[in-house]
Amino acid sequence: MEAPRCEQRITKVSLAEVLRCFEQPISEEQAWAICFQCCCKMEQLSQGLSPSLHSVFIKGTGSIFLHADGSASFKVYRKSDVGSSIQQSEDKLLEYLGVVIYEALDWGIDDKLERELSDPLEKLLCLMLKLDEKAMTPAVTLQDVIKACEEHLSRPSQASSHYEMTCRNLFAEYMELQNLVTIIQTSRAFHVLPVLGAPELHTLTGFSNVLPQTSIICELQSGVKLRKSSERPRRCTPPRESIRSPYELLLDDIQHKRYTLRKVS
């Protein structure tokens, strides 16, 4: 299928848009990748690149962006907009980044339920959120978080390429799903064929309620076929049985010659 032209102009997407699109929280591996890429970006900004690290203000999933190349960036505020008093220190930025990562891991989950995280990831988030009293002094640094993300892998030297690929794949899956939704919205003469034995999807309403978005991505990668509605095979549904009266039952038996009628003398 051909991708819409607008897809070529999209080079980044916010984490909030990704969560709304997939309608499910991020995986732990995606959390490690986003955390690593964000810390690497902050480290670059701390070295005097424009914009400076002091202009970064992390607040919510809408302030973190994933790029097509697998890198990450932040929403930048100018001094004229927010004032110099809102500048955040390195440890504060890491704390707010931890809040955003935790929010993305817990996105869409019932308030009564609590997601169980692996010990290494939970330890990292506690370090960033300053939930561990021992981690209060000294303050957590960018290098501490980057090192923890590297040691999470069996080959720490491949952390940069691995996490970059993870974020790049997440961006690509988002674009593929957006592409599919756009095709469904703009095409009136086509219907999506049944996927994985699910009921036919005739309208976009309820589209996200029928299948998890990850299943749709898997089908996109293996190939989804679209047909014109006139070419769609029609299913013959059995007639709906209704409650019939004794007279109707008797008449049906006579019509099918289940009984032999004798002449009345």
Side-chain angles (χ1 to χ4, degrees):
M1 72 180 62
E2 295 182 0
R5 296 179 181 178
C6 60
E7 179 182 344
Q8 299 177 359
R9 296 195 295 267
I10 299 177
T11 58
K12 67 178 182 178
V13 59
S14 69
L15 182 56
E17 292 176 285
V18 172
L19 292 170
R20 286 193 296 266
C21 178
F22 284 95
E23 296 187 356
Q24 63 182 12
I26 60 175
S27 66
E28 287 201 10
E29 194 59 33
Q30 291 168 345
W32 283 102
I34 294 172
C35 185
F36 180 84
Q37 293 297 83
C38 286
C39 288
C40 289
K41 183 64 176 180
M42 281 192 277
E43 188 178 40
Q44 293 176 1
L45 297 178
S46 66
Q47 296 174 358
L49 297 180
S50 180
S52 66
L53 185 61
H54 294 292
S55 62
V56 173
F57 184 73
I58 300 177
K59 185 178 180 181
T61 55
S63 58
I64 293 179
F65 296 92
L66 301 178
H67 293 247
D69 60 358
S71 61
S73 64
F74 311 97
K75 185 174 288 186
V76 177
Y77 294 86
R78 299 178 180 177
K79 291 183 179 181
S80 58
D81 298 331
V82 297
S84 58
S85 60
I86 207 164
Q87 294 178 357
Q88 299 171 345
S89 59
E90 179 179 310
D91 64 320
K92 271 295 180 183
L93 286 174
L94 286 174
E95 181 180 348
Y96 292 134
L97 175 61
V99 172
V100 171
I101 296 296
Y102 188 84
E103 181 182 345
L105 285 164
D106 201 45
W107 194 90
I109 298 179
D110 195 320
D111 295 337
K112 298 180 182 178
L113 301 177
E114 184 177 355
R115 179 172 180 175
E116 295 184 2
L117 302 177
S118 61
D119 290 339
L121 182 57
E122 187 173 0
K123 183 179 179 180
L124 176 64
L125 290 175
C126 287
L127 184 69
M128 298 172 68
L129 297 172
K130 302 178 182 179
L131 300 179
D132 189 355
E133 294 180 358
K134 297 180 180 179
M136 297 290 288
T137 306
V140 63
T141 64
L142 285 169
Q143 283 300 324
D144 294 333
V145 180
I146 291 175
K147 184 178 179 181
C149 292
E150 290 175 342
E151 293 178 347
H152 167 66
L153 301 177
S154 58
R155 296 182 179 180
S157 60
Q158 298 180 356
S160 180
S161 58
H162 174 79
Y163 290 133
E164 180 182 294
M165 181 182 64
T166 302
C167 290
R168 188 168 61 245
N169 290 340
L170 180 58
F171 179 90
E173 290 174 358
Y174 167 84
M175 291 305 305
E176 287 181 352
L177 186 55
Q178 287 295 100
N179 183 27
L180 176 62
V181 172
T182 302
I183 291 175
I184 294 174
Q185 288 177 332
T186 56
S187 178
R188 298 179 179 179
F190 292 85
H191 294 272
V192 179
L193 296 178
V195 181
L196 297 179
E200 293 187 16
L201 310 178
H202 294 293
T203 61
L204 190 58
T205 306
F207 174 70
S208 59
N209 298 328
V210 177
L211 286 174
Q213 309 294 17
T214 51
S215 299
I216 297 175
I217 292 299
C218 292
E219 289 299 313
L220 280 173
Q221 293 173 346
S222 60
V224 174
K225 296 181 180 179
L226 299 179
R227 291 181 182 175
K228 291 184 178 181
S229 57
S230 59
E231 298 176 357
R232 190 177 73 254
R234 297 183 179 180
R235 297 181 180 178
C236 297
T237 57
R240 185 178 179 181
E241 294 184 0
S242 58
I243 301 176
R244 295 184 291 179
S245 64
Y247 172 78
E248 292 174 326
L249 293 173
L250 178 60
L251 180 61
D252 184 68
D253 289 337
I254 294 173
Q255 290 175 343
H256 292 83
K257 298 182 180 181
R258 297 191 184 98
Y259 293 102
T260 302
L261 298 180
R262 292 179 295 180
K263 292 183 179 182
V264 179
S265 55

